Amino acid sequence: LKAWRKGHIPYSGVSNFTEAYKKARLFVSNLISLQAQGTIRILEVGAGFGEFAKNFLSALREICVYEEHDFFERLEYHISDFSQTTLDELAESGRLDEFKELIHYKVFDALDRYSGLEKESYDLVMANYLLDQFPARIFARSKGRYFEKYLSIEDPQALIDREKSKG
């Protein structure tokens, strides 16, 4: 977490309160229209320093209090990161202590299709910082030529098999 604290990792543009509030507002609107019942489960993928989680939870609580919804009271917030060390440091840092009753920490590799996530059920999955940091396009070199590739989400094994079949 030292890199986050020292500002070496840019996050304020996508993790600030205003951005978190917009996402919380949209989520509350969806919960209202779906007439959500029972426990409300959220997964944040790639939580890092927890800045977005802190702002999102603060915004969600504010909206629920102001509009008299019980969504916040029924919330489970699952924070995930690739690194157990990052999760341990975040838990020990006290940054999210005001929400500690809601938070569950989980190691999750977004590139591992056997992560166990397919057995879970969430009302909202957010990858706010993670997806913001992916390149919109990349260049790859193959057989002496450069090709432009665009980010896509698909089964990685299918992609590997397709590339192998091309020879």
Side-chain angles (χ1 to χ4, degrees):
L1 293 183
K2 290 177 186 175
W4 292 91
R5 284 191 193 112
K6 291 180 180 180
H8 296 301
I9 299 175
Y11 60 85
S12 62
V14 295
S15 297
N16 63 57
F17 184 80
T18 302
E19 290 301 315
Y21 187 92
K22 287 188 235 178
K23 290 169 177 73
R25 173 76 261 155
L26 178 61
F27 185 52
V28 167
S29 296
N30 286 329
L31 291 172
I32 292 167
S33 68
L34 294 171
Q35 299 177 354
Q37 302 295 316
T39 302
I40 297 167
R41 300 182 76 227
I42 296 175
L43 171 66
E44 182 181 349
V45 179
F49 190 45
E51 185 70 12
F52 180 78
K54 184 176 182 177
N55 286 324
F56 181 85
L57 289 168
S58 295
L60 185 62
R61 178 178 56 198
E62 183 178 304
I63 292 166
C64 288
V65 167
Y66 182 75
E67 296 182 4
E68 300 180 354
H69 300 297
D70 70 344
F71 304 137
F72 190 80
E73 297 161 17
R74 298 189 278 131
L75 188 67
E76 281 184 11
Y77 197 92
H78 297 255
I79 286 189
S80 72
D81 200 90
F82 175 79
S83 163
Q84 181 66 56
T85 301
T86 298
L87 293 173
D88 292 343
E89 289 177 1
L90 178 56
E92 293 167 9
S93 74
R95 287 183 55 74
L96 300 173
D97 277 359
E98 69 182 292
F99 305 111
K100 65 183 170 188
E101 302 301 320
L102 310 172
I103 294 179
H104 305 266
Y105 295 91
K106 176 180 184 163
V107 173
F108 174 64
D109 180 354
L111 298 177
D112 180 4
R113 68 180 176 156
Y114 302 108
S115 66
L117 185 64
E118 69 279 0
K119 298 173 188 168
E120 301 287 333
S121 175
Y122 295 97
D123 299 288
L124 175 64
V125 176
M126 296 183 289
N128 183 62
Y129 189 78
L130 179 72
L131 293 178
D132 183 67
Q133 297 308 308
F134 278 149
R137 61 186 186 177
I138 58 172
F139 292 92
R141 185 174 178 179
S142 177
K143 299 178 185 174
R145 296 176 56 201
Y146 286 94
F147 298 89
E148 186 175 7
K149 292 185 170 186
Y150 290 88
L151 180 67
S152 67
I153 298 173
E154 63 180 281
D155 179 6
Q157 189 59 50
L159 178 63
I160 292 166
D161 293 345
R162 195 166 55 246
E163 291 296 320
K164 283 182 182 177
S165 71
K166 289 180 182 177

